[in-house]
């Protein structure tokens, strides 16, 4: 881990969503220097599955050497933001760093995203970031350090990152566009940057989304805390950057990233918005991008032949064989840990409708629709299905690239990935 130099001693850091997870990790990193932390979050009572409140976070911050000011702030409420900023300035004399970490997520497509969820994501992510920045900027201008850091991704216009969860992408990119605009607007006065992880990060929210076992594919929140600290150490001239955690830490001389892994050596899930798999994602992007050299236009006959060309044949019985191995891998423990019914709509040879019942004692696999309504319906080609269960195609990238379509409970869909990982060696 990076050494604490005490650079942030006496500085006031205003962090939204700091009661747990990434926000709290950044708070604790700064607190070890002796920083003042304003915990601007809305959790005042502990949730059974999301531990941590603004008050428990304050205790942890003070235990490591920082000073804490817990403030009840829902970033959708401008008055609550302004009140917290006013309290922070009154208690600590100013604001030196703002971290816009509060965020809402729903990985649902256009027709399956209720208006209420759209409004929540736009209000928390884009609008909340904008209004919190606006409230803090007059005080940041007076600081010698003066940093705004948004936990948001690099702006990547590859359509693959829009097609499956358009509303979420727009809301997160709104945070990134605040970086783009404000970095230029306040150049020389305030450094404005974005920070994003290369891999999935283990938080309580991730546990809720992915279920038991997802943590082995994640890194710890400390990697983002160390990366944020690296940014805070930089001068105001370091602005308008979309920083990836791993990249900036490599610049700091970090070589061994196993220290950040929840399970060192285990394959890691890539995070969204980064084109990590050129064989899957880049091909999708190329189909939308301008072609560098003009090609001869195809004749109508050629186009017709291309459209009617049959899909490549796959090995007969591969789907049955995959489900046979799945069936042999089932147990009461697997059923108890999963508690879901999955339906697979497979296109292509050897396809059709299949199901995996992980609610019935011992588990059950079959052809056709399940007797109970499926919690998750997955649609894909038979070829991609076999690749996914054998570990040759990551479910995350299959979903993000559009090869896998999911309807139903996304958390239960992610739970299935753990089961697939257990079977990979046999498939």
């Amino acid at each position: 881990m990076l050494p604490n130099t005490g650079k942030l001693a006496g500085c006031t850091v205003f962090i939204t969503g700091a009661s747990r997870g990434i926000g709290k990790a950044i708070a604790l990193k700064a607190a070890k220097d002796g920083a003042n932390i304003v915990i601007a979050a809305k959790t005042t009572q502990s949730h059974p599955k999301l531990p941590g409140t603004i008050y428990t976070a304050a205790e942890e911050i003070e235990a490591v050497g920082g000073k804490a000011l817990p403030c009840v702030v829902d970033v959708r409420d401008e008055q609550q933001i302004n009140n917290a900023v006013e309290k922070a300035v009154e208690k600590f004399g100013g604001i030196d760093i703002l971290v816009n970490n509060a965020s809402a997520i729903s990985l649902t497509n256009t027709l399956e995203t209720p208006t209420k969820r759209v409004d929540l994501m736009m209000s928390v992510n884009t609008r909340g970031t904008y209004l919190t920045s606006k409230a803090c900027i007059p005080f940041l201008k007076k600081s010698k350090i003066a940093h705004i850091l948004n936990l948001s991704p690099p702006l990547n216009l590859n359509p693959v990152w829009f097609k499956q969860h358009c509303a979420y992408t727009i809301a997160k990119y709104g945070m990134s566009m605040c970086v783009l605009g404000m970095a230029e607007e306040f150049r020389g006065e305030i450094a404005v940057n974005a920070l994003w992880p290369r891999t999935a990060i283990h938080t309580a929210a991730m546990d809720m989304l992915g279920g038991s076992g997802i943590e082995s594919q994640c890194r710890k929140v400390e990697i983002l805390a160390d990366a944020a600290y690296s940014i805070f150490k930089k001068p105001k001239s370091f602005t308008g950057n979309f920083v990836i955690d791993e990249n900036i830490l490599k610049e700091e001389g970090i070589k061994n990233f196993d220290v950040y892994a929840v399970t060192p050596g285990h394959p890691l899930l890539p995070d969204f918005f980064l084109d990590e798999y050129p064989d899957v994602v880049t091909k999708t992007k190329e189909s939308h991008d301008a072609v560098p050299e003009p090609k001869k236009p195809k004749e109508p006959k050629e186009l017709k032949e291309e459209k009617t060309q049959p899909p490549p044949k796959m090995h007969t019985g591969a789907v049955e064989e995959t489900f046979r191995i799945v069936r042999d891998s089932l147990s009461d423990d697997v059923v108890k840990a999963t508690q879901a019914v999955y339906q697979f709509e497979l296109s292509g040879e050897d396809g059709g409708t299949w199901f995996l019942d992980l609610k019935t004692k011992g588990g059950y696999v079959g052809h056709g629709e399940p007797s109970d309504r499926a919690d998750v319906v997955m649609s894909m080609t038979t070829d991609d299905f076999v690749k996914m269960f054998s570990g040759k195609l990551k479910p995350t990238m299959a979903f993000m690239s559009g090869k896998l379509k999911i309807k139903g409970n996304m958390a239960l869909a992610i739970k299935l990935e753990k089961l697939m990982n257990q079977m990979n060696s046999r498939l």
Side-chain angles (χ1 to χ4, degrees):
M1 303 283 179
L2 294 175
N4 288 313
T5 61
K7 177 169 175 67
L8 301 183
C11 292
T12 299
V13 187
F14 191 108
I15 308 177
T16 65
S19 59
R20 63 175 70 94
I22 293 163
K24 190 179 79 171
I26 294 173
L28 290 171
K29 180 74 178 180
K32 287 173 184 174
D33 270 12
N36 309 315
I37 310 295
V38 183
I39 307 157
K42 59 188 177 73
T43 309
T44 56
Q45 293 185 327
S46 189
H47 185 283
K49 292 186 178 179
L50 289 172
T53 68
I54 58 174
Y55 307 114
T56 58
E59 288 172 7
E60 290 183 56
I61 286 161
E62 293 186 342
V64 297
K67 291 180 181 176
L69 175 63
C71 295
V72 179
V73 177
D74 181 336
V75 294
R76 292 173 292 179
D77 189 322
E78 187 177 15
Q79 193 57 54
Q80 287 184 23
I81 295 168
N82 292 338
N83 289 346
V85 169
E86 194 177 307
K87 285 179 186 175
V89 174
E90 186 180 328
K91 184 174 176 70
F92 298 125
I95 296 171
D96 300 287
I97 296 170
L98 164 63
V99 180
N100 285 306
N101 166 68
S103 191
I105 182 171
S106 181
L107 299 178
T108 45
N109 63 34
T110 301
L111 296 179
E112 292 175 357
T113 310
T115 304
K116 190 176 178 181
R117 294 295 300 179
V118 177
D119 290 344
L120 175 70
M121 290 188 284
M122 300 300 175
S123 298
V124 172
N125 301 1
T126 302
R127 184 175 179 272
T129 293
Y130 185 90
L131 292 180
T132 308
S133 300
K134 183 182 177 184
C136 291
I137 283 169
F139 303 100
L140 290 166
K141 280 185 169 189
K142 299 173 185 177
S143 169
K144 290 180 180 178
I145 294 177
H147 274 273
I148 294 176
L149 182 64
N150 294 354
L151 270 293
S152 65
L155 290 163
N156 182 349
L157 296 185
N158 184 340
V160 73
W161 302 119
F162 290 83
K163 66 181 289 186
Q164 300 295 346
H165 40 70
C166 192
Y168 174 64
T169 299
I170 292 169
K172 287 305 289 188
Y173 280 11
M175 295 174 72
S176 300
M177 292 170 84
C178 285
V179 170
L180 207 61
M182 292 177 189
E184 199 59 37
E185 185 177 358
F186 302 105
R187 186 173 291 277
E189 295 180 289
I190 304 167
V192 187
N193 296 287
L195 175 62
W196 196 246
R198 183 169 294 285
T199 72
I201 302 295
H202 182 231
T203 60
M206 178 62 81
D207 277 340
M208 283 188 71
L209 186 65
S212 175
I214 194 75
E215 69 274 5
S216 63
Q217 300 174 68
C218 302
R219 280 178 173 162
K220 301 171 188 173
V221 289
E222 282 76 16
I223 190 169
L224 283 167
D226 285 357
Y229 188 83
S230 296
I231 294 169
F232 301 153
K233 290 193 298 181
K234 293 186 178 291
K236 292 179 186 179
S237 56
F238 183 81
T239 192
N241 299 289
F242 292 89
V243 179
I244 304 302
D245 57 357
E246 190 177 294
N247 294 354
I248 196 167
L249 291 174
K250 281 179 179 176
E251 289 174 14
E252 292 274 352
I254 301 292
K255 293 178 181 176
N256 178 19
F257 285 86
D258 275 352
V259 295
Y260 296 114
V262 174
T263 308
H266 196 285
L268 297 165
L269 279 173
D271 210 284
F272 294 167
F273 308 116
L274 305 177
D275 292 349
E276 292 292 298
Y277 291 84
D279 58 328
V280 176
V281 181
T282 310
K283 283 179 184 174
T284 309
K285 184 176 189 294
E286 282 171 356
S287 68
H288 294 271
D289 286 349
V291 179
E293 293 180 12
K295 292 184 179 180
K296 178 187 172 184
K298 289 185 178 180
E299 298 295 327
K301 185 181 176 184
E302 287 177 273
L303 285 170
K304 186 179 178 182
E305 283 175 359
E306 186 180 65
K307 287 178 182 176
T308 56
Q309 189 178 4
K313 298 270 184 184
M314 62 169 294
H315 299 297
T316 306
V319 173
E320 283 98 335
E321 178 63 13
T322 299
F323 274 113
R324 184 190 67 75
I325 295 170
V326 170
R327 183 190 64 218
D328 292 346
S329 303
L330 298 181
S331 67
D332 287 336
D333 288 341
V334 169
V335 171
K336 188 178 179 181
T338 313
Q339 287 296 294
V341 176
Y342 301 92
Q343 183 173 322
F344 301 90
E345 296 294 340
L346 305 179
S347 57
E349 188 180 337
D350 200 26
T353 301
W354 295 77
F355 70 87
L356 173 57
D357 182 344
L358 296 180
K359 279 185 177 175
T360 304
K361 185 176 172 61
Y364 191 67
V365 168
H367 195 275
E369 293 188 8
S371 53
D372 291 335
R373 185 182 174 187
D375 299 291
V376 182
V377 179
M378 296 183 166
S379 304
M380 62 197 312
T381 67
T382 50
D383 194 27
D384 286 335
F385 170 81
V386 173
K387 284 180 183 175
M388 192 169 77
F389 265 86
S390 61
K392 293 174 184 173
L393 174 63
K394 284 185 177 290
T396 307
M397 291 313 298
F399 175 69
M400 297 308 300
S401 62
K403 291 187 173 188
L404 166 63
K405 290 184 170 58
I406 299 174
K407 288 184 179 179
N409 189 318
M410 185 62 70
L412 292 176
I414 294 174
K415 264 192 177 186
L416 184 62
E417 188 163 349
K418 183 188 176 186
L419 183 61
M420 290 180 193
N421 289 335
Q422 294 171 353
M423 297 174 188
N424 285 173
S425 60
R426 302 181 60 189
L427 285 156

